[in-house]
């Protein structure tokens, strides 16, 4: 326990003084606040920490407009219209359903019993709207994981059982849509489906969307050792998906997510991030990023995780390339696993800037 508290204290110190990292060719060190040698992310036009958006991994103006409309008017129609125009089998629909479900869950936390009235009205006034049913199922899943007394509690299980029924109703309203089954993957993890039950559910997902990156990430959690599988099963699942990934698919990055899920709480071996396993996973993810469509909604997810690994590998220029693409949004792993996603991201961004400048980089040399 003492060593964990010590490491946590060190992390907090790094967070406080990370803006004052000096860039010195060949290495980086801390300097006093206000020093002219301090690396400053603002020099690159990056967003201030307090302006970082923790809700989504990357820009989606249509989604933000719809969320703002729902919150300001209390009406559900903007959400319904947006989802009606979003392809059923794409990554974007799944992300938008998650966003609306998350917004409703947050409202209920902030205003218990009276929040998310727009979603209640949506379900009452448009009972056959598949999108509304999907958002309702996602709301229940997020309630179960966020505020139900913790995994294994009776309330957690009761809400997940309700969410499972909501997923089944949503699936009946739109038979070819993978979203209700992807939502159920999180339920399967919480309710401890057997491997046979999970395989049956997974078959329904890949029948509808075989290369869905978001679905694979949701399934990967089940196969990790912290849940119902093992390191070996998670690795096998991720590498099999990467091997059969079509050209331009981000599934080639899945082994990096498996590696992240199986990282020890504390990495004590200094050479860990220079090892062959990490290098192979990072190279696979970089290949996926370079060959994927630049408008792929899951691209930002991969870039965010790459940033963490590239900083730890001291591959500064490549780390800065990820920051250049994702800055402004931090609603993705690994930052979303922190209590303060913006602060955690800001630490790694500051380190990337300092390392980049310590090796001769500057705002003028960073591509735009």
């Amino acid at each position: 326990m003492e060593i964990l508290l010590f490491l946590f204290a060190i992390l907090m110190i790094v967070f406080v003084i990370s803006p004052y990292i000096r860039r010195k060719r060949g290495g980086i060190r801390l300097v006093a606040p206000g020093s002219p040698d301090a690396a400053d992310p603002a020099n690159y036009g990056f967003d201030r920490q307090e302006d970082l958006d923790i809700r989504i991994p990357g820009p989606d103006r249509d989604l933000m407009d719809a969320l703002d409309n729902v919150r300001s008017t209390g009406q559900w129609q903007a959400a319904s219209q947006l989802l009606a125009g979003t392809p059923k089998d794409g990554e974007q629909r799944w992300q938008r359903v998650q966003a609306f479900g998350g917004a409703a869950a947050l409202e209920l936390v902030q205003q218990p019993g009276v929040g998310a009235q727009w979603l209640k009205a949506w379900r009452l006034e448009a009972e056959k709207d598949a999108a509304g049913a999907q958002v309702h199922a996602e709301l229940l899943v997020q309630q179960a994981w966020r505020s139900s007394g913790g995994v294994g509690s009776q309330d957690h299980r009761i809400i997940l059982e309700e969410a499972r029924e909501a997923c089944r109703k949503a699936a009946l309203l739109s038979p070819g849509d993978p979203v209700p089954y992807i939502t159920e993957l999180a339920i399967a993890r919480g309710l401890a489906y057997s491997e046979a039950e999970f395989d049956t559910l997974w078959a329904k997902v890949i029948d509808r969307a075989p290369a869905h990156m978001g679905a694979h990430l949701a399934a990967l959690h089940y196969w990790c050792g912290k849940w119902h599988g093992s390191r070996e099963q998670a690795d096998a699942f991720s590498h099999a998906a990467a091997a059969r990934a079509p050209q331009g698919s981000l599934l080639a990055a899945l082994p990096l997510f498996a590696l992240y899920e199986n990282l020890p709480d504390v990495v004590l071996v200094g050479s860990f991030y220079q090892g062959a396993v990490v290098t192979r996973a990072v190279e696979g993810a970089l290949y996926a990023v370079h060959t994927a469509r630049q408008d792929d909604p899951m691209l930002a997810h991969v870039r965010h995780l790459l940033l963490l690994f590239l900083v730890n590998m001291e591959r500064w220029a490549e780390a800065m390339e990820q920051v250049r693409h994702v800055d402004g949004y931090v609603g993705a792993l690994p930052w979303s696993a922190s209590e303060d996603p913006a602060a955690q991201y800001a630490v790694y961004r500051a380190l990337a800037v300092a390392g980049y400048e310590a090796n001769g980089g500057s705002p003028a040399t960073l591509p735009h």
Side-chain angles (χ1 to χ4, degrees), residues 16 31 52 60 68 70 107 114 130 146 183 192 231 236 251 258 261 270 286 302 310 335 340:
V16 172
V31 297
L52 296 169
D60 186 342
D68 289 343
V70 164
E107 285 185 32
V114 298
R146 289 183 179 192
T183 301
R231 178 188 297 272
L251 286 175
E261 290 295 335
L286 286 170
V302 181
L310 290 168
W335 329 120
D340 191 340

Side-chain angles (χ1 to χ4, degrees), residues 5-275:
L5 291 174
F6 172 76
L7 290 169
F8 180 77
I10 292 296
L11 178 60
M12 290 300 99
I13 292 171
V14 170
F15 161 62
V16 172
I17 60 181
S18 61
Y20 315 118
I21 299 174
R22 180 181 181 183
R23 59 260 197 254
K24 179 180 180 183
R25 188 172 296 278
I28 56 178
R29 67 182 181 84
L30 300 174
V31 297
S35 167
D37 288 327
D40 188 354
N43 292 338
Y44 295 81
F46 297 149
D47 285 4
R48 296 182 302 176
Q49 179 179 323
E50 57 267 31
D51 294 330
L52 296 169
D53 194 324
I54 66 172
R55 299 171 295 176
I56 54 177
D60 186 342
R61 188 67 263 162
D62 290 340
L63 173 61
M64 293 296 99
D65 288 345
L67 281 170
D68 289 343
N69 181 280
V70 164
R71 278 195 297 266
S72 62
T73 67
Q75 302 297 312
W76 53 269
Q77 283 79 5
S80 179
Q81 290 168 5
L82 180 64
L83 291 175
T86 307
K88 293 179 179 179
D89 59 349
E91 306 281 355
Q92 194 171 54
R93 183 180 181 89
W94 165 234
Q95 289 193 15
R96 287 174 170 177
V97 166
Q98 283 188 303
F100 286 119
L106 181 60
E107 285 185 32
L108 284 170
V109 169
Q110 295 172 338
Q111 300 174 291
V114 298
Q117 291 297 320
W118 56 271
L119 181 53
K120 296 176 184 177
W122 191 355
R123 298 299 297 127
L124 288 172
E125 297 168 18
E127 187 178 354
K128 300 299 183 182
D129 188 337
Q134 291 173 10
V135 172
H136 178 236
E138 178 64 27
L139 161 67
L140 292 170
V141 168
Q142 294 205 27
Q143 280 187 310
W145 288 104
R146 289 183 179 192
S147 56
S148 62
V151 177
S153 69
Q154 184 177 9
D155 285 348
H156 181 76
R157 186 171 188 86
I158 288 172
I159 296 175
L160 285 180
E161 292 281 7
E162 185 180 353
R164 177 163 58 182
E165 183 60 27
C167 285
R168 291 175 178 171
K169 290 179 180 178
L172 290 174
L173 292 173
S174 185
D177 195 328
V179 169
Y181 300 103
I182 299 173
T183 301
E184 193 178 346
L185 293 172
I187 298 169
R189 178 161 47 100
L191 293 181
Y193 282 22
S194 68
E195 290 189 11
E197 290 173 320
F198 189 86
D199 285 341
T200 298
L201 172 61
W202 182 239
K204 295 176 181 178
V205 173
I206 60 174
D207 280 349
R208 292 162 175 81
H212 199 291
M213 181 67 172
H216 280 79
L217 290 176
L220 179 63
H221 289 301
Y222 177 91
W223 292 115
C224 287
K226 68 182 72 173
W227 289 105
H228 308 296
S230 64
R231 178 188 297 272
E232 292 73 22
Q233 286 175 297
D235 285 344
F237 175 79
S238 66
H239 282 90
R244 65 172 182 268
Q247 180 67 23
S249 168
L250 287 169
L251 286 175
L254 199 62
L256 186 65
F257 285 86
L259 180 61
Y260 170 75
E261 290 295 335
N262 286 303
L263 280 178
D265 291 334
V266 179
V267 177
L268 297 177
V269 180
S271 61
F272 174 81
Y273 285 100
Q274 280 69 46

